[in-house]
Tab-separated table of all heavy atoms in Angstrom:
chain	number	residue	atom	x	y	z
A	184	LEU	N	182.798	72.021	114.484
A	184	LEU	CA	182.738	71.520	113.062
A	184	LEU	C	181.259	71.406	112.626
A	184	LEU	O	180.307	71.507	113.411
A	184	LEU	CB	183.307	70.029	113.120
A	184	LEU	CG	184.705	69.907	113.735
A	184	LEU	CD1	185.084	68.476	113.690
A	184	LEU	CD2	185.794	70.811	113.043
A	302	GLY	N	191.177	56.324	102.164
A	302	GLY	CA	192.081	56.708	101.077
A	302	GLY	C	191.595	57.945	100.189
A	302	GLY	O	190.377	58.268	100.269
A	326	THR	N	208.029	47.877	101.733
A	326	THR	CA	208.627	47.780	100.454
A	326	THR	C	209.049	46.362	100.152
A	326	THR	O	208.809	45.904	98.991
A	326	THR	CB	209.918	48.749	100.362
A	326	THR	OG1	209.490	50.067	100.594
A	326	THR	CG2	210.605	48.558	98.995
A	410	ARG	N	194.339	67.741	72.880
A	410	ARG	CA	195.408	67.295	73.827
A	410	ARG	C	195.853	68.330	74.759
A	410	ARG	O	196.703	68.086	75.608
A	410	ARG	CB	196.560	66.858	72.968
A	410	ARG	CG	196.355	65.798	71.853
A	410	ARG	CD	195.729	64.517	72.233
A	410	ARG	NE	196.622	63.945	73.345
A	410	ARG	CZ	196.078	62.923	73.908
A	410	ARG	NH1	194.940	62.279	73.788
A	410	ARG	NH2	196.889	62.298	74.940
A	435	SER	N	195.144	62.788	82.321
A	435	SER	CA	194.509	61.491	82.956
A	435	SER	C	195.276	60.284	82.413
A	435	SER	O	194.952	59.859	81.295
A	435	SER	CB	193.037	61.365	82.873
A	435	SER	OG	192.731	60.038	83.339
Side-chain angles (χ1 to χ4, degrees):
L184 311 178
T326 299
R410 309 304 305 173
S435 164

